[in-house]
């Protein structure tokens, strides 16, 4: 009965924690542009005296810049960069007297939260009678968002995680697993003295490794500080000594770095102190070490992607910290299995050593099952927070690194299962028999266990290297947004794939990939874009693209300088062939509105399916942990089978929810009544955004339809086949694999429902059967 109550209580706690993971906003991708005064792409009547820019994270003013250029590319003399009182995420500069015309603001910052750098640019125009002009970016200016991680930075993060795990994991493994396992043998007399001596040998070996890890962490911390200063100052690490390093002193990163260094130094000293004779597993020094380890890991979480979440930050940081704690307990425990346990077993007679080894493996397996359970649960939460879609998982560096991490996790779990289910029982059986033949077999099984543990340690080291990359790049959700939009058109024998990144009004990278008969075309003589705004008379803007040699032609430009609908013509010139041209339509969202829409938590609350999946998964973990206990041997197979089923089902439910949070929302109710006013508003919006592709009659025969592959959908067929919620979601998010763009940054939630009402009224061929008809 006690066991069942314990299991129920554990499940209740797990469910409570899962429900507690509620309603965070999305994670920010470094300190990106959020809004400004004057706003990006704005046409203002009076010349502003001051420029203020807000970012998604608090910037470090000493490593940030705001630079203003006029239309000729001349840099304006501005005041010094200053923080805005009461606005920690804003920076400001005083402006000189501005003549009418378009000005380009180039910004760069260092996030005070996660320590990453970001860059960008935006224009504004002075004078209501002025026609906005394309942005002017001086030659040599590095833009294009966050720079890619450097090998130095990734290596520093990798070694930081590795040394933290080695140092922190010892203070869980040694007292709980090794010390607790030896006490569980309950030997007396001479064997108790031998066991105490073996505990001392294992404790000294394990603490020596922990002290070495903490000491190495101090050196790695120095490397991390140097690479951070280098990244902030845009110099290589060997050039960061002096001013760049000195400028970092006093920043938020500096104080968190000092906290980590102090915790590592204290752990080093404590590890050596606990090596003294007479330090049993219940000495208060172990609790002090665990507290210091927790502080060390917390300081790291406070300088992570989780700390950049704008809402419910404490929840995201707590999840990240629990993830690090579980990592340290598991991987740090593996290091101790490879160092402290062999020293312990070597100090014991064969039979007693075999018994001790079997007990320690079983206790560590219990710890590892709990740690892996926490890792998976918090990892799924972080996947929902930082990834959020299958496209982001497979199409970004962050998502691909996450897949690599999972690929390394699978053999780690398989080796752990081998140790628990095969090697540990055979070691225990051989040790209990005590015969000469059994002891010979015992030596062989112990050798296999040592090899298995060493392989686990190597895989764990590689896994932490992938984690170092994960923490150095943008979260997948934001990286996917930065990849922009893609339009594919076909003209004559050419297939043209146009990518605009990030696809907002302002600075963009234009990339055209050309294909003939499915093969890249690398030798086009000239590839040019001609852009024309369809609502403002900005003239015809021509942008020539540079060949990259692989069929891609690219340029970074501010030609898409105004939000709203654009016509983009692609012209391709080849030797001996007539010029080919194709046209695409694109509605460029305003970056301020786009950022506001994204920051407004597009995922909403944590999906119920994610919570349900985590609860079922937690039940499975508790069942597996319960099966490890010796008292459950008689029912172990049934418990393990049930636990595996629950873990698998929970993982599937939670993973689908994390990567497809809007699934199941196709039946969301329409909150806007289909009144004549709503339908008229929907018709107006349809003519503004949809007619060019779908046509007036919804047949998919608009003026741009022939340039699209696949062609636009025939709304007369499709509207009646889908729910209003599904139509609303497609208007919001677009349709992957088609030319249907996402309008979430262009059309408001309410206006999307007006469009749905118009579509239902105009194209629904089964309106008589629709319970909403005639409302």
């Amino acid at each position: 009965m006690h066991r069942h109550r314990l299991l129920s209580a554990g499940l209740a706690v797990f469910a409570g924690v899962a429900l507690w993971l509620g309603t965070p906003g999305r994670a920010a991708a470094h300190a990106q542009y959020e809004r400004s005064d004057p706003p990006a792409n704005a046409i203002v009547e009076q010349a502003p005296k001051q420029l203020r820019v807000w970012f998604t994270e608090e910037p470090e003013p000493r490593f940030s810049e705001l630079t203003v250029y006029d239309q000729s590319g001349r840099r304006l003399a501005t005041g010094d960069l200053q923080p805005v009182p009461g606005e920690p995420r804003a920076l400001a500069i005083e402006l000189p007297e501005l003549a009418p015309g378009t000005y380009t603001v180039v910004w760069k910052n260092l996030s005070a939260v996660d320590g990453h750098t970001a860059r960008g640019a935006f224009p504004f125009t002075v004078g209501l009678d002025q026609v906005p002009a394309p942005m002017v970016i001086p030659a040599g200016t590095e833009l294009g968002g966050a720079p890619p991680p450097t090998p130095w930075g990734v290596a520093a993060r990798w070694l930081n995680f590795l040394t933290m795990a080695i140092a922190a994991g010892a203070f869980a493994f040694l007292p709980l697993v090794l010390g607790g396992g030896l006490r569980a043998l309950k030997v007396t007399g001479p064997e108790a003295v031998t066991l105490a001596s073996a505990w001392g040998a294992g404790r000294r070996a394990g603490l020596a490794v922990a002290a070495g890890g903490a000491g190495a962490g101090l050196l790695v911390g120095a490397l991390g500080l140097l690479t951070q200063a280098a990244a902030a100052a845009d110099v290589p690490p060997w050039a960061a000594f002096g001013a760049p390093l000195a400028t970092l002193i006093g920043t938020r990163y500096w104080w968190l770095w000092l906290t980590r260094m102090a915790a590592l130094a204290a752990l080093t000293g404590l590890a050596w102190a606990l090596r003294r004779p007479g330090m049993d597993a219940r000495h208060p020094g172990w609790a002090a070490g665990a507290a210091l380890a927790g502080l060390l890991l917390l300081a790291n979480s406070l300088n992570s992607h989780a700390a950049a979440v704008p809402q419910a930050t404490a929840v995201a940081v707590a999840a990240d910290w629990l993830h690090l704690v579980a990592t340290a307990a598991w991987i740090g425990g593996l290091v101790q299995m490879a160092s402290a346990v062999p020293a312990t077993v070597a100090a014991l007679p064969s039979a007693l050593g075999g018994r001790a080894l079997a007990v320690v493996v079983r206790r560590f397996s219990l710890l590892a099952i709990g740690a892996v359970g926490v890792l998976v649960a918090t990892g799924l939460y972080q996947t929902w927070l930082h990834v959020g879609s299958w496209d982001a998982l497979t199409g970004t560096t962050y998502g691909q690194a996450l897949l690599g991490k999972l690929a390394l996790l699978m053999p780690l779990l398989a080796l752990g299962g081998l140790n628990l289910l095969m090697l540990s029982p055979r070691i225990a059986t051989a040790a209990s028999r005590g015969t000469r033949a059994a002891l010979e077999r015992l030596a062989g099984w112990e050798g296999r266990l040592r090899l298995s543990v060493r392989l686990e340690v190597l895989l764990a080291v590689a896994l932490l290297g992938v984690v170092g990359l994960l923490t150095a790049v943008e979260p997948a959700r934001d990286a996917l947004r930065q990849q922009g939009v893609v339009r594919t058109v076909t003209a004559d024998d050419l297939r043209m794939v146009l990518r605009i990144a990030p696809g907002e009004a302002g600075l963009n990278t234009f990339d055209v990939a050309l294909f003939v008969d499915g093969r890249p075309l690398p030798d086009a003589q000239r590839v040019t874009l001609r852009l024309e705004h369809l609502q403002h008379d900005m003239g015809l803007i021509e942008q020539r693209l540079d060949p990259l040699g692989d069929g891609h032609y690219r340029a970074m430009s501010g030609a898409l300088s105004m939000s709203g609908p654009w016509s983009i013509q692609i012209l391709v010139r080849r030797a001996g062939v007539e010029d080919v041209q194709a046209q695409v339509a694109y509605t460029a969202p305003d970056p301020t509105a786009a950022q506001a829409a994204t920051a407004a938590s597009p995922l909403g609350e944590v999906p119920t399916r994610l919570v349900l999946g985590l609860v079922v998964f937690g039940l499975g973990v508790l069942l597996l942990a319960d099966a490890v206990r010796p008292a459950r041997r008689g029912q172990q197979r049934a418990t393990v089978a049930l636990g595996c089923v629950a873990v698998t089902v929970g993982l599937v439910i939670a993973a689908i929810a994390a990567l497809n949070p809007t699934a199941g929302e196709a039946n969301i109710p329409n909150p806007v009544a289909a009144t004549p006013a709503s339908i008229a508003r929907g018709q107006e919006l349809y003519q503004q955004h949809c007619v060019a592709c779908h046509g007036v009659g919804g047949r998919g025969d608009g003026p741009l339809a022939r340039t699209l592959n696949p062609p636009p959908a025939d709304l007369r067929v499709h509207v009646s086949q889908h729910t209003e919620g599904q139509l609303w979601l497609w208007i919001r998010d677009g349709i992957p694999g088609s030319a249907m763009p996402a309008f979430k940054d262009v059309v408001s939630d309410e206006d999307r429902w007006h469009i749905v009402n118009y579509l239902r009224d105009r194209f629904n061929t089964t309106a008589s059967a629709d319970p909403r008809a005639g409302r």
Side-chain angles (χ1 to χ4, degrees):
M1 183 64 72
H2 175 70
R3 290 197 305 269
H4 293 303
R5 285 200 302 267
L6 183 63
L7 187 64
S8 301
L11 179 59
V13 170
F14 186 89
V17 171
L19 291 170
W20 172 60
L21 299 176
T23 335
R26 53 160 217 98
H30 309 3
Q32 298 290 359
Y33 171 91
E34 182 180 62
R35 59 188 173 92
S36 61
D37 184 17
N41 307 298
I43 302 175
V44 297
E45 181 178 5
Q46 301 293 330
K49 300 298 183 183
Q50 185 186 63
L51 169 69
R52 291 184 293 174
V53 182
W54 283 260
F55 300 98
T56 55
E57 299 173 20
E58 182 179 346
E60 288 286 2
R62 281 179 282 181
F63 286 98
S64 302
E65 298 175 3
L66 292 178
T67 310
V68 183
Y69 298 90
D70 64 16
Q71 196 56 38
S72 67
R74 180 177 62 91
R75 178 174 177 171
L76 303 186
T78 60
D80 294 334
L81 185 70
Q82 299 289 340
V84 178
E87 300 281 355
R89 292 186 291 110
L91 297 173
I93 54 173
E94 299 298 323
L95 296 173
E97 194 70 32
L98 300 181
T102 299
Y103 296 86
T104 299
V105 179
V106 176
W107 58 265
K108 174 208 163 187
N109 65 44
L110 172 73
S111 170
V113 179
D114 60 20
H116 293 298
T117 56
R119 302 177 178 89
F122 64 89
F124 68 89
T125 300
V126 175
L128 297 181
D129 59 340
Q130 297 293 305
V131 176
M135 291 194 297
V136 175
I137 307 297
T141 302
E142 294 187 11
L143 292 172
T150 64
W152 290 96
V154 174
R157 291 170 183 272
W158 167 42
L159 295 173
N160 174 54
F161 286 119
L162 179 59
T163 53
M164 284 196 306
I166 292 173
F171 291 91
F173 182 92
L174 291 174
L176 299 178
V177 176
L178 184 59
L182 296 179
R183 285 199 312 273
L185 293 176
K186 297 180 180 179
V187 297
T188 58
E191 282 191 334
V193 176
T194 304
L195 212 61
S197 176
W199 157 249
R203 172 172 52 87
R204 287 190 296 273
L207 287 171
V209 171
L218 293 171
L219 298 177
V220 171
L223 174 63
L225 186 68
L226 195 64
T227 57
Q228 179 68 12
D234 288 326
V235 297
W238 50 87
F241 293 99
L245 202 56
T247 308
L248 205 60
I249 296 175
T251 63
R252 182 178 182 272
Y253 179 92
W254 165 260
W255 291 114
L256 289 173
W257 179 85
L258 279 183
T259 301
R260 285 167 39 216
M261 296 304 101
L264 284 168
L267 284 172
T268 304
L270 185 59
W272 284 110
L274 288 172
R275 295 180 80 246
R276 294 178 301 175
M279 297 291 182
D280 64 19
R282 288 169 285 195
H283 189 278
W286 298 109
L292 285 170
L295 176 63
L296 171 67
L297 300 176
L298 179 61
N300 197 86
S301 292
L302 289 172
N303 197 202
S304 66
H305 288 315
V309 173
Q311 301 170 14
T313 309
V315 176
V317 170
D320 187 83
W321 179 75
L322 287 172
H323 200 79
L324 289 180
V325 168
T327 300
W330 185 25
I331 294 179
L334 283 174
V335 173
Q336 293 296 316
M337 284 288 295
S339 56
V341 174
T344 302
V345 174
L348 294 171
S350 295
L352 184 57
R355 290 170 55 201
L357 183 58
V359 170
V360 168
V361 169
R362 188 171 292 276
R363 289 180 71 91
F364 177 63
S365 297
L366 183 61
L367 175 66
I369 288 172
V372 171
V374 173
L375 280 172
V376 173
T378 55
L380 285 167
Y381 170 77
Q382 291 171 331
T383 298
W384 169 75
L385 191 63
H386 299 304
V387 182
S389 71
W390 295 102
D391 289 340
L393 181 67
T394 59
T396 65
T397 301
Y398 186 101
Q400 292 160 3
L402 181 58
L403 290 174
K405 178 182 174 182
L406 293 175
L408 289 170
L409 184 62
M410 293 301 104
L412 262 173
L413 293 176
L415 287 171
L418 173 70
N419 297 340
L420 173 63
L421 301 176
M422 181 180 294
L423 299 181
S424 175
R426 295 186 180 183
I427 289 172
T429 300
S432 63
R433 288 178 180 173
T435 64
R436 184 172 183 177
L439 293 179
E440 289 176 356
R441 288 195 298 271
L442 174 62
W445 292 121
E446 288 178 351
R448 292 183 179 90
L449 179 64
R450 285 194 297 270
L451 177 60
S452 176
V453 170
R454 288 168 184 167
L455 288 175
E456 285 187 87
V457 171
L458 290 176
L459 285 170
V461 170
L463 186 145
L464 289 179
V466 177
V467 174
L469 176 62
L470 270 174
T471 58
V473 298
E474 285 185 299
R477 185 187 302 280
D478 297 285
L480 186 67
R481 174 172 170 254
Q482 291 297 316
Q483 289 180 6
V485 296
V486 176
R487 296 288 185 270
T488 300
V489 293
T490 301
D492 294 344
D493 61 336
L494 274 181
R495 183 165 66 92
M496 313 175 192
V497 181
L498 169 65
R499 180 182 294 275
I500 310 172
E504 300 168 354
L507 183 69
N508 285 277
T509 296
F510 296 90
D511 183 290
V512 173
L514 301 179
F515 300 90
V516 177
D517 297 328
R519 296 187 300 271
L521 177 67
D523 56 352
Q525 291 182 335
R526 182 169 182 171
V527 178
T528 305
L529 299 181
R530 290 178 179 171
L531 302 95
E532 183 177 14
H533 202 287
L534 300 181
Q535 291 181 342
H536 298 280
D537 185 12
M538 299 176 61
L540 194 63
I541 303 169
E542 189 167 293
Q543 177 64 54
R544 184 168 178 174
L545 307 184
D546 300 322
L548 301 183
D550 58 354
H552 285 259
Y553 301 80
R554 186 176 299 168
M556 182 178 290
S557 167
L560 206 67
S561 57
M562 177 65 64
S563 59
W566 287 80
S567 172
I568 305 177
Q569 191 177 47
I570 308 172
L571 294 95
V572 180
R573 176 167 297 173
R574 294 175 288 173
V577 182
E578 289 188 6
D579 291 356
V580 177
Q581 64 182 32
Q583 188 170 338
V584 299
Y586 178 62
T587 300
D590 181 88
T592 303
Q595 183 61 48
T598 308
S601 187
L603 300 179
E605 296 183 355
V606 178
T608 303
R609 292 170 296 112
L610 178 58
V611 176
L612 174 63
L614 290 176
V615 170
V616 175
F617 171 79
L619 174 61
V621 170
L622 289 173
L623 288 170
L624 291 175
D626 188 52
V628 171
R629 298 185 301 111
R632 295 284 289 171
R633 284 183 183 175
Q635 304 174 3
Q636 189 179 49
R637 290 185 179 180
T639 307
V640 168
L642 186 58
C644 288
V645 170
V647 163
T648 303
V649 171
L651 273 177
V652 171
I653 294 173
I656 292 175
L659 293 171
N660 192 15
T662 60
E665 295 179 7
N667 293 315
I668 52 179
N670 185 343
V672 177
T675 62
S678 172
I679 293 171
R681 173 60 177 163
Q683 182 177 13
E684 176 187 348
L685 292 165
Y686 178 85
Q687 292 171 346
Q688 180 180 352
H689 299 290
C690 312
V691 164
C693 296
H694 290 285
V696 175
R699 295 177 173 84
D701 58 353
L704 295 179
R706 62 183 180 84
T707 69
L708 303 177
N709 184 25
D714 187 336
L715 298 178
R716 299 171 304 166
V717 175
H718 285 276
V719 167
S720 61
Q721 295 179 349
H722 302 285
T723 66
E724 293 181 338
Q726 183 63 75
L727 296 172
W728 186 86
L729 288 172
W730 279 335
I731 297 171
R732 186 188 75 177
D733 300 325
I735 302 177
S738 76
M740 174 67 182
F743 287 93
K744 62 182 178 182
D745 300 330
V746 180
V747 180
S748 69
D749 288 356
E750 181 178 343
D751 277 346
R752 287 196 290 273
W753 287 118
H754 291 315
I755 296 176
V756 169
N757 286 338
Y758 171 71
L759 295 178
R760 281 295 202 186
D761 181 77
R762 177 73 172 81
F763 302 116
N764 188 5
T765 58
T766 60
S768 59
D770 188 347
R772 286 171 46 82
R775 280 192 311 191

